[in-house]
Amino acid sequence: MTITGADAYPALKLHIDGEWLDAGQRRLFQVRHPASGQVLADLPLADTADLDRALDAADRGFRLWRTSTPEDRAKVLTGAARLLRERGETIARNATLEEGKTLAETRIELHGCADLFDFYAAEAKRLYGRVLVRPDGERSLVVKEPVGPVAAFAPWNFPIHNPGRKLGAPIAAGCSVILKPAEEAPASAMAVVQALLDAGLPAGVCQLVFGVPDEVSRHLLASPVIRKCSFTGSTSVGKHLMKLAADNALRTTMELGGHAPVIIFDDCDFDRTLDMLTLAKARNAGQVCVSPTRFYIQDSLHDRFVQALTERFGGLRLGDGMDPATQMGPMANARRPDALDALIADAKSSGAQLLTGGERIGNQGYFYRPTVLADLPAEARIMNEEPFGPVIATARFGSFDEAVEQANRLPFGLAAYAFTENGRLANRIGAALEAGMVGLNVTRMAYADAPFQGVKHSGHGSEDGPEGLAACLVTKSIHQQ
Ligand code: NAD
């Protein structure tokens, strides 16, 4: 498999205090193309002096940006959205090179990020307070202020949109940000930051650092400069960061792991449900926090639906994401196929039927066959641990209560789905599912204007929508005469 045009992949740098910094004497991390394993470039990793410089710049950047007008902030965000769209093909191509998903997917991601910046440009102008009238000319002002410098950590699975989410709302609120995206997909984050700088974001408002994750988070979260920690990633790392944040009394927004239940009733629109779920499951080879994972299918429908799902999902065309014919790309890194092998071996030994897939493809890159496992017992690891890969695991249910009990059984509560043509049943299941986001006859969860969040061990706080902006603000009451 050859990488088309990998020569255009950019030189990788940190961005601190208005300056792009290359490797120098810094440690390096090799960024690879997941379809081939080929090294794309070396990424410089921040050392302690870099992080201290970033903290100092973020402190100054915050003092400057908090006094900017809503119009200043809106101008930067709409300008960046326009530049992202203009540069879209190059950015999407580099995102596919470093993350592996198809070009069609990285293009959608790019537009999602631009739409989010446009949304927050408008929302920045709606940061209203209120005035309360008291006797004798006294009054109380309730005002919203930016929380302060934010330390933000974004994962590799949406290399453009995740950094956009970590930057859009804080910038609209008047915060400065130190962003540490995933080391596996740095060029996309660089492009998002470059668009903001080219649109006029002042030096110091946004720092971009890469590094050894635990080193960076410990250093930043202990600093008196930082006032908020925003993290997207696994539940275990999120809990670790919450502990670090607690020591410094930081505000937190946590978008953590999920294990989305999908309840398929026997009165669903069979073909539409099959289409939507096949597409949703193939997206980014299942490496999506809201990916449908535990399929609970009504007894009377189970076998027919699973047979159709096996044909459709098992028949997807895998390949390099750069190839327009590819329907599903590789996994993003070497850790994922190893993790899936272990979960699938456990599922088979617990009595599940392997209907398709269940193995990697070749020894080049990180390809994994789309997999369907049927009739999983509740104790199988895959029914309890997020697979984060192209695996569908099914189980049967008889009654509504049984389906709800299985769906809500885990400590996760990010996304949940149900498919039925019965409106009353849809209302009941929507109310019963313990999740931050519920899809009823739909699989799309992310919109610029709607909050995105989990409950239980899937996190707290929202991104996107007005709620994402509110999460970057503090409230102050001023009583005066
Ligand atoms: P991981 O738990 O090692 O890392 C998850 C993310 O957290 C990565 O981006 C990583 O760079 C970052 N990270 C790890 N340790 C950190 C630290 N001490 N400080 C700051 N950041 C840190 O897992 P992984 O192998 O990269 O990804 C697999 C698992 O992560 C999946 O099973 C899934 O649960 C989770 N994940 C979730 C999302 C999401 O959108 N919620 C995205 C990517 C990964």
Side-chain angles (χ1 to χ4, degrees):
M1 210 172 293
T2 50
I3 301 172
T4 42
D7 49 332
Y9 188 80
L12 300 173
K13 300 182 183 194
L14 314 171
H15 182 83
I16 299 177
D17 203 7
E19 204 184 332
W20 286 104
L21 304 168
D22 54 27
Q25 300 303 308
R26 296 178 177 86
R27 293 161 295 175
L28 298 173
F29 174 89
Q30 290 188 323
V31 179
R32 292 175 187 274
H33 180 43
S36 63
Q38 184 181 324
V39 175
L40 293 167
D42 285 332
L43 173 72
L45 301 181
D47 54 30
T48 306
D50 292 321
L51 297 178
D52 284 337
R53 200 177 153 207
L55 284 163
D56 183 51
D59 194 20
R60 282 181 282 110
F62 175 55
R63 288 172 210 284
L64 172 78
W65 196 239
R66 69 178 303 176
T67 62
S68 61
T69 64
E71 287 73 21
D72 294 336
R73 299 173 197 173
K75 199 166 146 236
V76 166
L77 288 164
T78 42
R82 181 177 49 76
L83 292 170
L84 285 172
R85 293 187 186 103
E86 277 172 24
R87 300 169 184 175
E89 272 310 287
T90 309
I91 299 172
R93 197 181 142 285
N94 286 333
T96 290
L97 281 175
E98 59 190 14
E99 207 274 348
K101 65 171 78 168
T102 65
L103 257 179
E105 289 180 76
T106 50
R107 286 182 185 129
I108 292 171
E109 217 191 300
L110 181 285
H111 285 281
C113 181
D115 291 350
L116 190 66
F117 282 2
D118 275 339
F119 174 79
Y120 278 126
E123 206 60 18
K125 298 180 186 169
R126 291 192 276 266
L127 282 178
Y128 307 130
R130 64 187 198 274
V131 181
L132 305 167
V133 178
R134 311 272 179 226
D136 305 323
E138 192 178 328
R139 61 187 188 166
S140 297
L141 308 181
V142 181
V143 295
K144 299 285 178 186
E145 296 184 345
V147 61
V150 179
F153 303 90
W156 40 265
N157 60 339
F158 286 86
I160 308 167
H161 201 173
N162 282 335
R165 273 188 166 152
K166 298 294 173 211
L167 293 169
I171 286 173
C175 299
S176 60
V177 185
I178 302 178
L179 171 64
K180 191 206 79 64
E183 286 63 37
E184 279 119 332
S188 306
M190 282 173 56
V192 174
V193 170
Q194 187 67 65
L196 287 161
L197 295 170
D198 291 346
L201 190 72
V205 179
C206 171
Q207 333 298 317
L208 179 67
V209 298
F210 300 96
V212 175
D214 195 47
E215 240 175 75
V216 178
S217 51
R218 279 181 194 279
H219 197 81
L220 296 184
L221 298 182
S223 164
V225 168
I226 298 298
R227 294 311 325 142
K228 174 174 173 170
C229 169
S230 172
F231 174 74
T232 300
S234 57
T235 296
S236 57
V237 173
K239 287 178 181 172
H240 167 63
L241 296 191
M242 278 190 258
K243 288 175 193 153
L244 295 180
D247 285 342
N248 201 5
L250 301 182
R251 171 90 72 92
T252 53
T253 294
M254 293 281 153
E255 302 285 356
L256 308 179
H259 200 338
V262 188
I263 299 177
I264 306 173
F265 290 98
D266 62 6
D267 67 349
C268 71
D269 179 332
F270 190 96
D271 292 333
R272 198 168 161 268
T273 304
L274 188 64
D275 284 349
M276 278 192 289
L277 287 173
T278 307
L279 264 179
K281 188 71 230 182
R283 193 165 161 238
N284 200 15
Q287 301 164 114
V288 179
C289 54
V290 296
S291 185
T293 49
R294 295 177 288 143
F295 285 52
Y296 296 106
I297 307 174
Q298 200 154 12
D299 250 339
S300 50
L301 183 71
H302 181 274
D303 292 353
R304 190 162 73 92
F305 196 83
V306 169
Q307 189 189 349
L309 199 55
T310 303
E311 280 164 25
R312 288 286 291 282
F313 194 52
L316 289 175
R317 192 185 149 110
L318 266 67
D320 191 325
M322 303 296 282
D323 179 347
T326 294
Q327 292 176 306
M328 192 177 97
M331 313 215 63
N333 56 55
R335 298 187 295 282
R336 299 314 309 147
D338 289 346
L340 287 188
D341 277 348
L343 287 178
I344 291 168
D346 172 81
K348 286 198 283 190
S349 69
S350 60
Q353 299 176 59
L354 175 65
L355 299 179
T356 188
E359 58 186 4
R360 329 164 174 225
I361 304 175
N363 57 7
Q364 199 189 28
Y366 318 124
F367 288 95
Y368 211 91
R369 275 193 209 290
T371 300
V372 178
L373 291 159
D375 283 315
L376 268 299
E379 320 72 71
R381 275 182 59 199
I382 202 160
M383 296 307 260
N384 297 279
E385 296 170 36
E386 184 180 28
F388 227 60
V391 186
I392 291 171
T394 82
R396 298 161 194 266
F397 73 88
S399 67
F400 177 90
D401 289 347
E402 204 185 315
V404 170
E405 188 190 329
Q406 287 306 312
N408 291 342
R409 186 176 56 85
L410 297 188
F412 302 109
L414 193 60
Y417 305 89
F419 293 84
T420 172
E421 290 298 292
N422 177 333
R424 189 159 169 274
L425 199 53
N427 285 343
R428 284 177 66 208
I429 196 86
L433 288 168
E434 293 171 0
M437 292 167 286
V438 175
L440 300 177
N441 299 320
V442 297
T443 52
R444 181 170 172 184
M445 290 285 159
Y447 294 89
D449 57 358
F452 188 96
Q453 67 268 300
V455 296
K456 295 159 72 176
H457 290 214
S458 292
H460 56 256
S462 304
E463 289 188 311
D464 304 352
E467 291 81 358
L469 186 59
C472 299
L473 297 167
V474 287
T475 306
K476 184 191 273 180
S477 305
I478 304 172
H479 307 287
Q480 69 179 73
Q481 188 166 38

